[in-house]
Amino acid sequence: MSIRVSHLNKRFGSGAGQFVAVDDVCLEVESGELVAFLGPSGSGKSTILRIIAGLETADSGSVYFSGQAADHLHARSRGVGFVFQHYALFRHMTVAENIAFGLRVQGKARAEQQRRVHELLDLMGLAGLGERYPGQLSGGQRQRVALARALAPEPQVLLLDEPFGAVDARVREELRHWLRRLHDEVHVTSIFVTHDQEEAFSVADKVIVINRGHVEQAASPAAILDHPATEFVARFIGDANVYEGVTHGGYVAVGKLQVPADGLPDGTPVSAVLRFYDLKFWKEEQGIARVVRTMTLGDRVKVEAVIDDGPVIYSQFPRRSSLLTGIEPGCRIHIEVTLARLYPQNAAAGVTVTAA
Amino acid sequence: MPGAPWKNGRGCAVSDAGRLTPGQAILLALVLGYLGLILVVPLAAMAIRGLEAGPGVLLEVFADPAAREGLRLTLILALIALIGNGLFGVAAGLVLVRHRFLGRRLLDTLVDLPLAVSPVMTGLAFLLLYGRGGWLEPWLAWAGIKVGFAFPGLVLATLFVTFPFTLREVAYVLIELGTDEEEAAVTLGASPWQTFRLVTFPNIRFGLGYGLVLTLARALGEFGAVLVIGGAISGQTQTATTFIYNALEERQEAAAYGMALILAAASVLFLLALEWIKRQRGKEK
């Protein structure tokens, strides 16, 4: 089932304390797609998900399932499976009873309930745990029970609200694989909310970046990484240096560093976003910056330098990179910008400038 | 009151191997001494005095028609409070915790009123409304209903003094529970009634049970309000507690102790019930 959201608005509170959670959001999810809503906390992504599920009502705008307006449908009639961050398992019921709940309230026969429960216990790798209570399970197991419970009534849509937020890093990794594999098997249209870029990019077919209640960009993970549509996306995705400046002679000057700005007229105020990994440093006495610190982050090294007459700049290299040769605190370096993204202020679209 | 540490069903932390530091020992002695002085010794004294005349005292109580009638009246009142405030507590708890409406804060404060107001004042207030010359008396008289110094007055007084208990316990559990499980039930296709019956109610049942036992205990023990509104007319509006009072007035000490002993036995049962509920609750967490 495809989902379309059109001009959705939602405010919380009233008067001075009013908070715009969703601001004219339009988006589309194709049938069978696995989509991530990615954004910082408080960006409104969970609210959009809850409106789609019918757990929250929009102030205006519509939600369409397969082209049919669903606004008048109560949450219980939408055929939506919902997975909550904190599992929301029925603590007084066994795992099997939890999974059977949806079929039970819909009045399905006992035999059918049991068949489906066994099927899902197997699918979720929970075989043998049917008689346990949620309190006796680990976090990862609980979230798989929650997933099985949501899937039991064979929903048309699966919505997951920060599904892996409450488990530790290793289990989170495992659950991501689960979700991806599960989706490849069941093919139910799915949306999950996350603030973790890695999670969004490694699991989803399409990522919708949401900030301050509106959609910044909706595209494939690769497209978002390579062609961030807005300054927010460029800043938010991956680690980046951000500088404000004015174009002059095809460049933006950041101290002694000249950031290429081809195609922009002189005197344009811009934000220049330079990803850590789009910069090259090499040692050179006549360089334009001085290294202040090097930090080892596992398999990568982060280098902090100060541009002459300018601000601090960071870059990141693989630990064994030849670019790191001789780079140590105090040494002078030259900086090459392999890719710069310039966002003229007060304009929607950015300009990507690749250095020749 | 909800959330008081003594309600969570967990034992207190004791240092390893149960050995106490001098400071802890002094504190423990103080607590035990205090409890003994105000709780255990008086109850024991009552039990001893009551039984001094032999267990026949209890039989005497049951032989006295006024005492039997008082006990019966108290049980009926307690039962009405149990059912009425059981239903009210769940409904009002849901409304107070789950709904947002104008005046919610005010209502939230008002429901604690019976805990703050002296029962005697409560009885007086009811008398002002329903008693002789009361504001509502003409209409009630016209309809042929007598509230003051009659059974309906006792019911009103008992309901009033007992209503915060279930409400507070249920509201406390509902807040702790949050709405996730209910929302999960709804997305799985449950109707509001199914959600309540299968998800909300099982989650609040121990809280409700705890509140009901407190309600029962309060209803059995209520004195001031039922005395003022009911007048303790023997055989009509005399409850178990007002019976004790009247018996003491008339120097029938054996009867008073006998009745007190029955009420005390009920209290012990309530304590055991509360302890059991706390354990069950603890297990489920």
Side-chain angles (χ1 to χ4, degrees), chain A residues 5-9 24-25 51 58-64 71:
Chain A
V5 165
S6 142
H7 300 288
L8 217 56
N9 284 289
D24 199 35
V25 162
I51 292 172
D59 296 336
S60 64
S62 288
V63 175
Y64 299 89
D71 304 304

PDB file of all heavy atoms in Angstrom, chain A residues 5-9 24-25 51 58-64 71:
ATOM      1  N   VAL A   5       1.232  11.829   2.034  1.00  0.00           N
ATOM      2  CA  VAL A   5       0.909  12.802   3.067  1.00  0.00           C
ATOM      3  C   VAL A   5       0.911  14.155   2.391  1.00  0.00           C
ATOM      4  O   VAL A   5       1.850  14.487   1.670  1.00  0.00           O
ATOM      5  CB  VAL A   5       1.965  12.758   4.190  1.00  0.00           C
ATOM      6  CG1 VAL A   5       1.863  13.978   5.072  1.00  0.00           C
ATOM      7  CG2 VAL A   5       1.828  11.487   5.006  1.00  0.00           C
ATOM      8  N   SER A   6      -0.179  14.905   2.576  1.00  0.00           N
ATOM      9  CA  SER A   6      -0.282  16.153   1.831  1.00  0.00           C
ATOM     10  C   SER A   6      -0.589  17.335   2.744  1.00  0.00           C
ATOM     11  O   SER A   6      -1.577  17.329   3.472  1.00  0.00           O
ATOM     12  CB  SER A   6      -1.347  15.945   0.750  1.00  0.00           C
ATOM     13  OG  SER A   6      -2.118  17.073   0.556  1.00  0.00           O
ATOM     14  N   HIS A   7       0.293  18.310   2.722  1.00  0.00           N
ATOM     15  CA  HIS A   7       0.141  19.589   3.455  1.00  0.00           C
ATOM     16  C   HIS A   7      -0.298  19.410   4.906  1.00  0.00           C
ATOM     17  O   HIS A   7      -1.252  20.020   5.360  1.00  0.00           O
ATOM     18  CB  HIS A   7      -0.814  20.510   2.708  1.00  0.00           C
ATOM     19  CG  HIS A   7      -0.324  20.840   1.327  1.00  0.00           C
ATOM     20  ND1 HIS A   7       0.735  21.683   1.110  1.00  0.00           N
ATOM     21  CD2 HIS A   7      -0.719  20.385   0.119  1.00  0.00           C
ATOM     22  CE1 HIS A   7       0.960  21.754  -0.190  1.00  0.00           C
ATOM     23  NE2 HIS A   7       0.102  20.975  -0.808  1.00  0.00           N
ATOM     24  N   LEU A   8       0.438  18.561   5.603  1.00  0.00           N
ATOM     25  CA  LEU A   8       0.110  18.246   6.991  1.00  0.00           C
ATOM     26  C   LEU A   8       0.615  19.346   7.927  1.00  0.00           C
ATOM     27  O   LEU A   8       1.741  19.806   7.797  1.00  0.00           O
ATOM     28  CB  LEU A   8       0.805  16.924   7.345  1.00  0.00           C
ATOM     29  CG  LEU A   8       0.088  15.947   8.249  1.00  0.00           C
ATOM     30  CD1 LEU A   8      -1.267  15.584   7.677  1.00  0.00           C
ATOM     31  CD2 LEU A   8       0.928  14.690   8.395  1.00  0.00           C
ATOM     32  N   ASN A   9      -0.237  19.742   8.864  1.00  0.00           N
ATOM     33  CA  ASN A   9       0.153  20.720   9.876  1.00  0.00           C
ATOM     34  C   ASN A   9      -0.287  20.243  11.243  1.00  0.00           C
ATOM     35  O   ASN A   9      -1.362  19.668  11.380  1.00  0.00           O
ATOM     36  CB  ASN A   9      -0.509  22.071   9.603  1.00  0.00           C
ATOM     37  CG  ASN A   9       0.166  22.791   8.459  1.00  0.00           C
ATOM     38  OD1 ASN A   9       1.284  23.273   8.588  1.00  0.00           O
ATOM     39  ND2 ASN A   9      -0.508  22.832   7.322  1.00  0.00           N
ATOM     40  N   ASP A  24       3.463  22.025   7.231  1.00  0.00           N
ATOM     41  CA  ASP A  24       3.176  21.857   5.810  1.00  0.00           C
ATOM     42  C   ASP A  24       4.003  20.727   5.180  1.00  0.00           C
ATOM     43  O   ASP A  24       4.752  20.942   4.232  1.00  0.00           O
ATOM     44  CB  ASP A  24       3.437  23.173   5.074  1.00  0.00           C
ATOM     45  CG  ASP A  24       2.744  23.196   3.723  1.00  0.00           C
ATOM     46  OD1 ASP A  24       1.638  22.627   3.620  1.00  0.00           O
ATOM     47  OD2 ASP A  24       3.318  23.752   2.770  1.00  0.00           O
ATOM     48  N   VAL A  25       3.851  19.542   5.725  1.00  0.00           N
ATOM     49  CA  VAL A  25       4.641  18.412   5.242  1.00  0.00           C
ATOM     50  C   VAL A  25       3.919  17.662   4.126  1.00  0.00           C
ATOM     51  O   VAL A  25       2.740  17.339   4.241  1.00  0.00           O
ATOM     52  CB  VAL A  25       4.952  17.441   6.405  1.00  0.00           C
ATOM     53  CG1 VAL A  25       5.377  16.073   5.892  1.00  0.00           C
ATOM     54  CG2 VAL A  25       6.022  18.027   7.297  1.00  0.00           C
ATOM     55  N   ILE A  51       0.570  10.639  13.215  1.00  0.00           N
ATOM     56  CA  ILE A  51      -0.589  11.105  12.443  1.00  0.00           C
ATOM     57  C   ILE A  51      -0.942  10.075  11.373  1.00  0.00           C
ATOM     58  O   ILE A  51      -2.111   9.766  11.147  1.00  0.00           O
ATOM     59  CB  ILE A  51      -0.318  12.495  11.820  1.00  0.00           C
ATOM     60  CG1 ILE A  51      -0.215  13.554  12.921  1.00  0.00           C
ATOM     61  CG2 ILE A  51      -1.423  12.868  10.834  1.00  0.00           C
ATOM     62  CD1 ILE A  51       0.230  14.921  12.448  1.00  0.00           C
ATOM     63  N   ALA A  58      -4.125  15.580  12.804  1.00  0.00           N
ATOM     64  CA  ALA A  58      -3.497  16.760  12.235  1.00  0.00           C
ATOM     65  C   ALA A  58      -4.455  17.940  12.353  1.00  0.00           C
ATOM     66  O   ALA A  58      -5.667  17.769  12.371  1.00  0.00           O
ATOM     67  CB  ALA A  58      -3.145  16.502  10.781  1.00  0.00           C
ATOM     68  N   ASP A  59      -3.884  19.150  12.446  1.00  0.00           N
ATOM     69  CA  ASP A  59      -4.729  20.348  12.441  1.00  0.00           C
ATOM     70  C   ASP A  59      -5.294  20.560  11.043  1.00  0.00           C
ATOM     71  O   ASP A  59      -6.416  20.994  10.866  1.00  0.00           O
ATOM     72  CB  ASP A  59      -3.911  21.570  12.863  1.00  0.00           C
ATOM     73  CG  ASP A  59      -3.410  21.441  14.295  1.00  0.00           C
ATOM     74  OD1 ASP A  59      -4.038  20.691  15.070  1.00  0.00           O
ATOM     75  OD2 ASP A  59      -2.405  22.082  14.636  1.00  0.00           O
ATOM     76  N   SER A  60      -4.479  20.279  10.033  1.00  0.00           N
ATOM     77  CA  SER A  60      -4.962  20.342   8.654  1.00  0.00           C
ATOM     78  C   SER A  60      -4.074  19.445   7.810  1.00  0.00           C
ATOM     79  O   SER A  60      -3.014  19.019   8.242  1.00  0.00           O
ATOM     80  CB  SER A  60      -4.927  21.777   8.136  1.00  0.00           C
ATOM     81  OG  SER A  60      -3.591  22.234   8.091  1.00  0.00           O
ATOM     82  N   GLY A  61      -4.526  19.169   6.587  1.00  0.00           N
ATOM     83  CA  GLY A  61      -3.779  18.278   5.710  1.00  0.00           C
ATOM     84  C   GLY A  61      -4.368  16.882   5.730  1.00  0.00           C
ATOM     85  O   GLY A  61      -5.248  16.584   6.544  1.00  0.00           O
ATOM     86  N   SER A  62      -3.888  16.036   4.827  1.00  0.00           N
ATOM     87  CA  SER A  62      -4.484  14.713   4.672  1.00  0.00           C
ATOM     88  C   SER A  62      -3.453  13.618   4.540  1.00  0.00           C
ATOM     89  O   SER A  62      -2.326  13.860   4.121  1.00  0.00           O
ATOM     90  CB  SER A  62      -5.367  14.687   3.422  1.00  0.00           C
ATOM     91  OG  SER A  62      -6.537  15.426   3.655  1.00  0.00           O
ATOM     92  N   VAL A  63      -3.884  12.423   4.928  1.00  0.00           N
ATOM     93  CA  VAL A  63      -3.076  11.223   4.732  1.00  0.00           C
ATOM     94  C   VAL A  63      -3.850  10.318   3.783  1.00  0.00           C
ATOM     95  O   VAL A  63      -5.055  10.109   3.969  1.00  0.00           O
ATOM     96  CB  VAL A  63      -2.837  10.498   6.074  1.00  0.00           C
ATOM     97  CG1 VAL A  63      -2.103   9.186   5.852  1.00  0.00           C
ATOM     98  CG2 VAL A  63      -2.073  11.385   7.032  1.00  0.00           C
ATOM     99  N   TYR A  64      -3.179   9.822   2.742  1.00  0.00           N
ATOM    100  CA  TYR A  64      -3.842   8.931   1.785  1.00  0.00           C
ATOM    101  C   TYR A  64      -3.170   7.571   1.818  1.00  0.00           C
ATOM    102  O   TYR A  64      -1.944   7.478   1.767  1.00  0.00           O
ATOM    103  CB  TYR A  64      -3.745   9.489   0.364  1.00  0.00           C
ATOM    104  CG  TYR A  64      -4.408  10.832   0.196  1.00  0.00           C
ATOM    105  CD1 TYR A  64      -3.683  12.007   0.426  1.00  0.00           C
ATOM    106  CD2 TYR A  64      -5.736  10.924  -0.187  1.00  0.00           C
ATOM    107  CE1 TYR A  64      -4.285  13.247   0.286  1.00  0.00           C
ATOM    108  CE2 TYR A  64      -6.345  12.164  -0.333  1.00  0.00           C
ATOM    109  CZ  TYR A  64      -5.613  13.324  -0.093  1.00  0.00           C
ATOM    110  OH  TYR A  64      -6.207  14.547  -0.225  1.00  0.00           O
ATOM    111  N   ASP A  71      -8.163  10.115   6.567  1.00  0.00           N
ATOM    112  CA  ASP A  71      -8.290  11.010   7.727  1.00  0.00           C
ATOM    113  C   ASP A  71      -9.461  10.649   8.638  1.00  0.00           C
ATOM    114  O   ASP A  71      -9.393  10.838   9.836  1.00  0.00           O
ATOM    115  CB  ASP A  71      -8.438  12.455   7.257  1.00  0.00           C
ATOM    116  CG  ASP A  71      -7.288  12.854   6.366  1.00  0.00           C
ATOM    117  OD1 ASP A  71      -6.138  12.727   6.809  1.00  0.00           O
ATOM    118  OD2 ASP A  71      -7.540  13.247   5.217  1.00  0.00           O
TER     119      ASP A  71
END
